[in-house]
Amino acid sequence: MRLSYLFSECLAADYVTLAGGVDYAAKRRDGVLSLFFEASDGAADWRKNLDFPAAAYRRHGRTVFSAHRGFLSAWRVAEAAVAPLLADPTLTGITLVGYSHGAAIAVLSHEYVWYHRPDLRPRLTGYGFGCPRVVFGGAARRLAERWERFTVVRNLDDLVTHLPPAVLGYRHVGRLLEVGERGRYSATDAHRPENLLAELLRAERKGSRA
């Protein structure tokens, strides 16, 4: 599936708003569940974006890794809503997609699915468009296997994809795919959905002519 189409789906999805302003949408086609997570669209989301001290992500009382505290909080809200969908034994595949704030939630949901649905690992894919850094410290390397099928999509110069700063210990996970040209947009304009979509389409046109 073309990334431009997937990103357009993410932008146009009919989202359900959960407590604290977390937004998700679910679609199912031929046994494959697609979950979409929306970009920041309110003050609650922005408070989570700026709540960037690292916090422990715990499972069964044990710390698995540390991550951006605000994004962890958002994922915990989303997890309660989407866990029953992800547990469906009739699923044949899962695709997780998010943009900006939603991309950070997609990072954490991808790890959740990897852990809870080992049967679907070969058919698990994730995409974070304009994705900020989420995972803190050495976990990005130590647990790299969990995000092998996750792709961070960056429009070159996109400021959000460089936050929180790496100097604070945050790292991207998965594969980093860069589109666009350096200097074409300002650091904030490179993050705008219409500009990211334009660069995805441009890259796909170039690829089709190769």
Side-chain angles (χ1 to χ4, degrees), residues 6 26 52 138 168 204:
L6 204 59
F52 60 83
L168 297 183
E204 288 165 1

Side-chain angles (χ1 to χ4, degrees), residues 126-190:
Y127 299 92
F129 295 94
C131 188
R133 296 185 177 109
V134 180
V135 178
F136 178 83
R141 183 177 296 108
R142 177 172 53 86
L143 303 178
E145 177 186 15
R146 303 185 180 204
W147 290 282
E148 280 181 344
R149 297 177 62 83
F150 190 89
T151 301
V152 172
V153 183
R154 168 192 283 167
N155 190 6
L156 282 172
D157 294 329
D158 180 350
L159 175 64
V160 171
T161 64
H162 294 277
L163 297 175
V167 70
L168 297 183
Y170 286 92
R171 301 288 181 269
H172 279 302
V173 291
R175 169 180 172 241
L176 178 61
L177 174 65
E178 294 183 316
V179 298
E181 293 182 7
R182 201 166 298 283
R184 177 172 285 161
Y185 305 103
S186 70
T188 53
D189 284 346

